[in-house]
């Protein structure tokens, strides 16, 4: 019997190790703009909530405390504009990547079923299909897909890696098409609070879903908005029939968010100040990096939202990775996210102000007048 790992592609980040070594050898040290892991402190009020709940000797529940569910429903209505959201419409999860990887399996999908995701996409969508032995299909426009045997449609707005935002009109059209064909929609909206040149809209907004959550679920994470990647804090919101089934399955699987983390999420979702402050940090870094990359000869496409700049010099992404590694800057090659990204790199905004300033100085000092690379 073959190992489960045989179904999976090579873990992409392992391919970046030689370039990471090159960047680390730079006299000024590495500027790591590759993975996109938060580097700023966890806000103090969230840390205090975690500590206050540290004496939690009993098992937590998969559905979470009533206080957590109140916080989730309140945020979904306040921030996403959703209406009439009850506890049955929300479900905490142990970080969004866990959900993405195991959702097809938890939905009971298998051989002959199809999972669709954007042509440029977070690679775990495909991994989830492979783990379930389901078929996967990449799309440019999901409404052009053959709906036969299509059981799960992933949307991602704002996009990782491109930062593209789907408009309310686009989302409305896609949701209507999916409902017409009985296709379940999961919308990955983990970057929804990081819109720069566009205002991201949720599939749960009444203008998109018509006030009904039938057949749609949105995925949200606190990793980026609140610097809680280390806490594994995320949640689902949407169709109660789908979430009810997932709750029963996840109870059997013991997929529980820790009690201290649940308390931290309540504090995080109840405070907008720290989110605004973190947005301001990322906005400043984004402006500095974007300007420096353009001066260095890059073209930036999309990138109207999320935590990344989608940049190209119209060459192999690995040539660009190698070039930047010589400057001590590590970025992600675009082909990690699909062959359509083979001439792009993804540049994360998740580095300290000092490291971003170092990257800007290196990009600027190695660019000739007029923006050409010296």
């Amino acid at each position: 019997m073959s190992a489960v790992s045989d179904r999976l592609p090579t873990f992409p980040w392992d391919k970046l190790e030689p370039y990471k070594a090159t960047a680390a050898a730079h006299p000024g040290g590495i500027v790591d703009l590759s993975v996109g892991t938060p580097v700023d402190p966890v806000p103090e009020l969230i840390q205090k909530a975690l500590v206050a709940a540290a004496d939690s000797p009993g098992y937590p529940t998969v559905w979470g405390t009533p206080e957590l569910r109140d916080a989730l429903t309140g945020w979904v209505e306040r921030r996403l504009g959703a209406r009439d959201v009850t506890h049955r419409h929300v479900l905490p999860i142990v970080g969004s990547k866990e959900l993405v990887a195991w959702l097809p399996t938890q939905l009971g999908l298998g051989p002959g079923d199809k999972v669709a995701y954007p042509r440029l996409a977070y690679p775990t969508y495909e991994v989830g299909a492979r783990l379930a032995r389901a078929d996967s299909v990449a799309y440019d426009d999901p409404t052009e897909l053959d709906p036969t045997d299509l059981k799960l449609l992933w949307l991602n707005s704002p996009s990782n890696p491109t930062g593209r935002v789907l408009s309310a009109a686009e989302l409305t059209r896609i949701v209507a098409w999916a409902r017409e064909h009985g296709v379940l929609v999961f919308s990955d909206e983990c970057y929804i609070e990081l819109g720069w040149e566009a205002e991201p809209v949720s599939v749960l907004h009444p203008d998109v879903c018509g006030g009904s959550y039938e057949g749609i679920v949105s995925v949200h994470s606190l990793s980026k908005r609140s610097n809680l990647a280390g806490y594994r804090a995320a949640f689902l919101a949407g169709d109660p029939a789908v979430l009810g089934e997932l709750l029963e399955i996840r109870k059997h699987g013991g997929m529980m968010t820790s009690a201290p983390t649940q308390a931290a999420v309540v504090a995080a979702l109840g405070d907008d100040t720290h989110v605004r402050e973190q947005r301001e940090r990322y906005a400043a870094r984004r402006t500095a990096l974007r300007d420096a990359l353009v001066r260095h000869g890059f073209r930036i496409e999309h990138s109207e939202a999320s935590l990344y700049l989608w940049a190209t010099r119209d060459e192999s992404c690995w040539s660009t990775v190698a070039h930047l590694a010589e400057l001590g800057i590590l970025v992600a090659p675009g082909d990690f996210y699909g062959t359509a990204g083979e001439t792009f790199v993804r540049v994360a905004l998740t580095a300290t102000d000092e490291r971003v300033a170092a990257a800007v100085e290196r990009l600027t000092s190695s660019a000739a007048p007029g923006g050409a690379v010296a």
Side-chain angles (χ1 to χ4, degrees):
M1 185 172 67
S2 63
V4 173
S5 61
D6 289 346
R7 303 179 209 162
L8 305 179
T10 301
F11 189 61
W13 295 100
D14 291 344
K15 302 177 186 177
L16 207 55
E17 286 302 315
Y19 303 91
K20 184 175 183 179
T22 298
H26 190 278
I30 188 173
V31 180
D32 193 341
L33 306 177
S34 60
V35 176
T37 186
V39 297
D40 298 303
V42 174
E44 186 176 357
L45 84 161
I46 300 175
Q47 294 190 48
K48 287 182 175 178
L50 185 83
V51 171
D55 185 14
S56 297
Y59 289 112
T61 64
V62 172
W63 202 16
T65 63
E67 293 78 13
L68 174 61
R69 282 176 264 141
D70 282 343
L72 299 180
T73 57
W75 183 87
V76 167
E77 290 193 336
R78 184 181 83 252
R79 180 59 186 83
L80 304 184
R83 299 172 184 164
D84 302 319
V85 181
T86 71
H87 286 193
R88 294 176 57 248
H89 292 91
V90 294
L91 178 65
I93 54 178
V94 192
S96 58
K97 184 169 186 175
E98 164 263 304
L99 183 280
V100 173
W102 293 106
L103 178 63
T105 299
Q106 291 175 22
L107 292 174
L109 305 189
D113 296 324
K114 293 189 295 188
V115 176
Y117 48 81
R119 191 167 305 281
L120 279 167
Y122 184 48
T124 311
Y125 303 135
E126 180 187 358
V127 166
R130 290 190 182 211
L131 285 170
R133 299 181 188 270
D135 298 325
S136 60
V137 56
Y139 65 79
D140 294 307
D141 180 344
T143 66
E144 296 177 355
L145 292 169
D146 178 357
T148 305
D149 298 321
L150 179 58
K151 301 298 176 63
L152 173 61
L153 172 63
W154 277 108
L155 304 181
N156 180 208
S157 176
S159 164
N160 174 16
T162 69
R164 183 189 171 203
V165 172
L166 295 175
S167 68
E170 288 176 294
L171 289 170
T172 301
R173 177 175 60 83
I174 294 167
V175 167
W177 177 87
R179 284 175 168 167
E180 178 185 354
H181 296 287
V183 177
L184 176 62
V185 173
F186 264 67
S187 181
D188 182 344
E189 301 175 353
C190 289
Y191 297 93
I192 199 164
E193 295 199 279
L194 295 168
W196 311 115
E197 298 162 7
E199 185 60 39
V201 180
S202 173
V203 292
L204 302 185
H205 193 283
D207 289 350
V208 173
C209 67
S212 168
Y213 305 121
E214 180 183 358
I216 56 173
V217 177
S218 62
V219 184
H220 296 276
S221 169
L222 285 83
S223 293
K224 306 303 193 295
R225 72 182 296 277
S226 299
N227 299 330
L228 296 190
Y231 284 45
R232 309 315 301 136
F235 63 95
L236 305 177
D239 191 334
V242 176
L243 299 188
E245 286 294 314
L246 289 176
L247 174 60
E248 292 305 311
I249 293 165
R250 294 171 69 82
K251 281 168 26 178
H252 282 289
M255 294 177 174
M256 302 172 283
T257 304
S258 75
T261 296
Q262 292 187 34
V265 170
V266 172
L269 293 181
D271 177 72
D272 293 331
T273 300
H274 79 276
V275 179
R276 183 174 61 253
E277 292 172 347
Q278 189 60 46
R279 272 182 55 89
E280 291 171 355
R281 293 188 191 103
Y282 284 137
R285 293 166 187 166
R286 177 180 182 272
T287 298
L289 284 169
R290 184 185 185 111
D291 290 350
L293 286 166
V294 170
R295 287 196 302 269
H296 196 77
F298 281 87
R299 185 177 73 256
I300 309 297
E301 291 194 0
H302 296 301
S303 306
E304 59 259 32
S306 84
L307 272 184
Y308 313 104
L309 293 169
W310 189 236
T312 182
R313 299 202 308 170
D314 296 311
E315 64 181 4
S316 163
C317 60
W318 288 100
S319 296
T320 306
V321 168
H323 168 72
L324 292 175
E326 292 294 336
L327 299 178
I329 301 169
L330 188 68
V331 298
D335 66 3
F336 277 11
Y337 309 95
T339 56
E342 61 189 7
T343 61
F344 285 80
V345 293
R346 193 195 73 171
V347 183
L349 309 179
T350 50
T352 64
D353 291 343
E354 183 274 330
R355 288 288 82 191
V356 168
V360 168
E361 191 279 327
R362 295 173 196 178
L363 288 166
T364 302
S365 63
S366 62
V373 178

